[in-house]
Amino acid sequence: MSAPTSFFGHDPTSLRTWCADHGLPGFAADQIIDWVYTKGVSDPAAMSNLSKDHRMLIAETLPILEGSEARRQVASDGTRKLLLEWPDGSGRAASTETVLIPAETRRTACVSSQIGCPVRCTFCASGMEGLDGNLTASRIVEQAWRLGQLGDGRVTNVVFMGMGEPLANFSAVAGAITTLNAPWGLGIGARRITVSTVGLPKAIRRLIAFPIPVTLALSLHAPEDALRRQLIPWAQFATIGEILAACSDYFEATGREITLEYLLLRGVNDRVHHAKQLAEIATTLRCNINLIRYNAVEGLPFERPLDEDVHAFQATLRSRRINVHIRASRGRDITAACGQLRRETAVQVTREGGDGESPAEAKPG
Ligand code: SF4
């Protein structure tokens, strides 16, 4: 494996090696880690217990932050969304979104795992233009760290529910989880880290072998295969039955109840008969269900469900003793849907006559 090229890709061991290779004492690794993770300092010049020469060396050779903040939105409910740009080595940059959702005692970081998304769900802004690349473990951790610097208090939870299919970028996501969970890193408990997937059975089984038992969320969104394939193109690769079997194995191995995510789309999957089918699925698995109201995306043909339909859907499930919650909509007065800010920014740059070099215009292949 090649050496990390930026701070957030390191663990204490590799950082000590980096220090040794660059003429710094081994304990400098612990000092740098303390500055960044404990004190929230990313500017080497402020790391006052390191010598001036060492601070300069770090500034020149060990980037702490790789991304730059292109846009920030703050919603009236405190939700904050960042559009981050990542250099790709060719002079261009690709962008991803990351969101901080404060709620009572929790501060949840919703991070992206890929640039764009290969799954191309028909209702999703992130999937509209396909995949433009993977994020490294370091860039995933950086998102959570940046969000931890906003406002009061540290990030308490991380959900892989931003752009991308996390299990399609398994190694980077696993590396990021290791740092997010580590006591020397962000120290976030495994239970408070959620990986959300459209359901890749092989990768779910790979996650069983991963030593940190995170919470697994399955983006189901339809209670039968034909409808699911219309909404989620990758549903063609595995049936609901095959995915549920892998989820059951995950529960058996980790003891972690599975969360079924169900995005309600008006008139598409929000009828009472869909709820009855979903209830049947839910009785085959140790799970809870999160109902999510769709946030409309310009250019996509889906609508937000009516409140009465959402409540009827929930009541149908509850009458069958299913543990179901309606997820509160957050950040509705900013571009709430995943991928929307990135897309909106790209559209704006195009309308304003971008010169083709703009990061916001970077197009997926
Ligand atoms: S909903 Fe998730 S998996 Fe589907 S296209 Fe959007 S980011 Fe990808």
Side-chain angles (χ1 to χ4, degrees):
M1 213 192 322
S2 57
T5 53
S6 66
F7 170 80
F8 287 111
H10 280 284
D11 62 18
T13 305
S14 65
L15 195 57
R16 272 180 216 116
T17 303
W18 183 90
C19 285
D21 291 347
H22 290 80
L24 276 73
F27 62 80
D30 298 331
Q31 290 174 315
I32 301 167
I33 284 173
D34 183 54
W35 278 112
V36 178
Y37 285 113
T38 312
K39 300 189 173 87
V41 169
S42 60
D43 179 3
M47 299 179 180
S48 54
N49 56 359
L50 298 170
S51 73
K52 195 176 168 201
D53 286 351
H54 288 161
R55 280 182 261 161
M56 280 174 57
L57 182 77
I58 294 167
E60 284 162 11
T61 52
L62 182 69
I64 307 288
L65 298 177
E66 288 186 273
S68 56
E69 192 179 312
R71 281 186 73 184
R72 180 186 296 196
Q73 292 183 323
V74 183
S76 53
D77 64 7
T79 300
R80 291 151 207 233
K81 185 180 262 201
L82 305 181
L83 184 70
L84 298 177
E85 288 180 351
W86 309 102
D88 71 356
S90 70
R92 289 195 330 159
S95 59
T96 57
E97 295 179 3
T98 187
V99 186
L100 180 71
I101 307 158
E104 297 168 2
T105 56
R106 287 200 290 196
R107 284 167 48 85
T108 301
C110 176
V111 298
S112 294
S113 54
Q114 296 184 297
I115 300 163
C117 183
V119 181
R120 290 178 175 262
C121 297
T122 50
F123 49 78
C124 175
S126 293
M128 286 176 86
E129 292 168 351
L131 180 69
D132 200 18
N134 282 324
L135 287 172
T136 58
S138 148
R139 292 179 179 192
I140 296 169
V141 175
E142 182 176 327
Q143 294 172 61
W145 183 89
R146 280 178 176 271
L147 293 174
Q149 309 312 308
L150 304 177
D152 308 320
R154 53 196 289 275
V155 165
T156 59
N157 297 61
V158 173
V159 294
F160 285 81
M161 293 185 183
M163 297 168 63
E165 162 53 57
L167 294 187
N169 186 17
F170 194 98
S171 301
V173 167
I177 291 170
T178 303
T179 302
L180 294 170
N181 178 249
W184 52 262
L186 290 185
I188 298 168
R191 214 176 266 279
R192 292 172 176 267
I193 299 173
T194 299
V195 172
S196 176
T197 175
V198 294
L200 314 179
K202 269 191 196 160
I204 291 172
R205 294 203 165 86
R206 212 173 149 197
L207 199 60
I208 291 172
F210 181 61
I212 302 171
V214 295
T215 298
L216 182 65
L218 171 64
S219 299
L220 193 61
H221 306 332
E224 45 96 4
D225 285 313
L227 177 57
R228 195 164 189 266
R229 282 193 293 268
Q230 284 174 30
L231 300 176
I232 306 173
W234 277 23
Q236 66 183 295
F237 299 128
T239 63
I240 292 173
E242 289 164 344
I243 298 167
L244 294 178
C247 289
S248 264
D249 290 349
Y250 191 80
F251 170 74
E252 291 301 327
T254 62
R256 293 275 193 268
E257 195 172 81
I258 308 297
T259 297
L260 299 183
E261 308 275 351
Y262 195 97
L263 182 71
L264 289 161
L265 303 160
R266 183 175 174 183
V268 175
N269 63 354
D270 66 346
R271 308 289 85 197
V272 166
H273 72 87
H274 294 123
K276 289 178 182 168
Q277 287 175 299
L278 180 57
E280 279 175 33
I281 286 174
T283 53
T284 67
L285 188 70
R286 277 290 293 273
C287 66
N288 59 82
I289 296 179
N290 254 336
L291 299 178
I292 307 154
R293 283 179 261 225
Y294 183 63
N295 284 317
V297 175
E298 193 189 331
L300 294 181
F302 297 100
E303 291 175 57
R304 191 170 172 84
L306 300 175
D307 281 350
E308 61 254 40
D309 290 337
V310 174
H311 291 296
F313 200 96
Q314 183 188 37
T316 303
L317 289 163
R318 285 214 163 136
S319 69
R320 287 159 173 76
R321 298 179 177 279
I322 307 297
N323 180 8
V324 55
H325 300 280
I326 300 170
R327 190 190 292 166
S329 292
R330 302 299 307 268
R332 285 209 72 207
D333 52 341
I334 58 177
T335 45
C338 163
Q340 215 174 347
L341 176 61
R342 175 182 185 246
R343 188 161 171 266
E344 202 180 272
T345 305
V347 169
Q348 247 172 38
V349 170
T350 307
R351 282 187 188 142
E352 286 164 8
D355 59 8
E357 293 297 312
S358 166
E361 280 196 302
K363 285 280 177 281

